[in-house]
Amino acid sequence: MTLIGVIGIAVIILIMFNRNMMMKVVSPTNPMIQKLKKWALFENPWRSGFLLFGCNLFLFTSISGLLYMQMLFLLPYIHIVIMLLGVLTSLYCWLVLFHCYYGPEKGRLIMGTIGSGFYLILLILCIYRLLTLTPNFPGDDTFMAAVGIVFGIIVTITACVCCFIFTGVPRRKSINN
C-alpha cells in the first residue's frame, strides 16, 4: 500500500510540473467548452468559483458514495479503480472550467480560491477530527483511526493545491506557441 501512495504522490508531482502539457489534453475548441463559454456565468469569477465549488462537492460526494457501495459488495481492488477515475474526472472537470472562464486573470485567482475552498473546508474538518479523536469505549485503540484521518488530510491538501493550481493560476505562455 505504501508503494501505491509513493507512486500516487510521484504522479501528482509529475502532473503539477507538466501543467501546460495537461492543459492541451482538453482542447479549448472542444464543443462542450464552446457551449459552456456562452454562459454569462463564466465572466464573473465569483459565480464560476461557486460553480467549481459545487462541482468539487458533487464529485467528492459521488466518489465517496461509490466507495461506500464498494464496501457493501466487498469487491476487492475496485476502490483503486474508483479513486483513479475520481482523480481523472476531477482533473478533466478542472481543465474544462479553466478553459471556460473568460474574465480577467485576477478573477481566475478568485475562482480558483473559491473552488478549492471546498477541499480547504474538508481539510479543516479532518484536522478538527484528528484533534478531537477520543476512544469510543474504554480500552479502544484510536491509532488506526488517526492513520485514516492523516491520509484524509494528505488527500485534501493535495486536492486543494491541485484544484487551485489547475483553475486559479494563469497558463504560462510556452516558447513554442
Side-chain angles (χ1 to χ4, degrees):
M1 216 46 198
T2 306
L3 180 63
I4 293 174
V6 170
I7 292 171
I9 290 172
V11 167
I12 289 188
I13 290 171
L14 187 67
I15 287 172
M16 297 309 291
F17 282 120
N18 294 316
R19 187 174 81 100
N20 280 343
M21 182 187 72
M22 290 295 298
M23 293 288 177
K24 294 177 184 174
V25 170
V26 179
S27 171
T29 59
N30 186 329
M32 181 174 72
I33 293 174
Q34 294 303 317
K35 286 181 184 177
L36 289 174
K37 269 188 169 184
K38 294 178 184 175
W39 292 6
L41 174 81
F42 289 108
E43 65 187 26
N44 184 330
W46 292 91
R47 288 189 211 156
S48 56
F50 284 116
L51 176 68
L52 178 59
F53 186 95
C55 287
N56 286 336
L57 174 67
F58 175 75
L59 289 170
F60 181 81
T61 306
S62 302
I63 297 304
S64 297
L66 286 173
L67 287 171
Y68 180 75
M69 287 176 39
Q70 181 269 334
M71 279 189 337
L72 295 176
F73 295 119
L74 299 173
L75 299 170
Y77 303 110
I78 296 296
H79 65 285
I80 295 172
V81 174
I82 292 171
M83 289 186 287
L84 181 65
L85 288 175
V87 168
L88 293 175
T89 305
S90 293
L91 285 174
Y92 182 78
C93 179
W94 297 339
L95 290 172
V96 166
L97 291 176
F98 175 85
H99 287 301
C100 288
Y101 180 77
Y102 56 89
E105 292 299 322
K106 178 183 165 189
R108 189 175 294 284
L109 291 172
I110 294 170
M111 179 184 81
T113 303
I114 293 171
S116 63
F118 171 74
Y119 293 109
L120 189 62
I121 291 169
L122 281 178
L123 173 64
I124 291 168
L125 290 174
C126 285
I127 291 172
Y128 175 77
R129 177 72 176 124
L130 182 65
L131 294 175
T132 61
L133 186 62
T134 57
N136 292 330
F137 52 87
D140 185 21
D141 184 19
T142 58
F143 176 73
M144 289 309 292
V147 168
I149 294 170
V150 168
F151 280 143
I153 289 171
I154 292 168
V155 167
T156 54
I157 287 173
T158 305
C160 182
V161 169
C162 288
C163 179
F164 179 75
I165 288 176
F166 271 90
T167 59
V169 178
R171 185 175 179 182
R172 290 185 310 220
K173 302 294 181 197
S174 123
I175 297 172
N176 297 332
N177 287 344

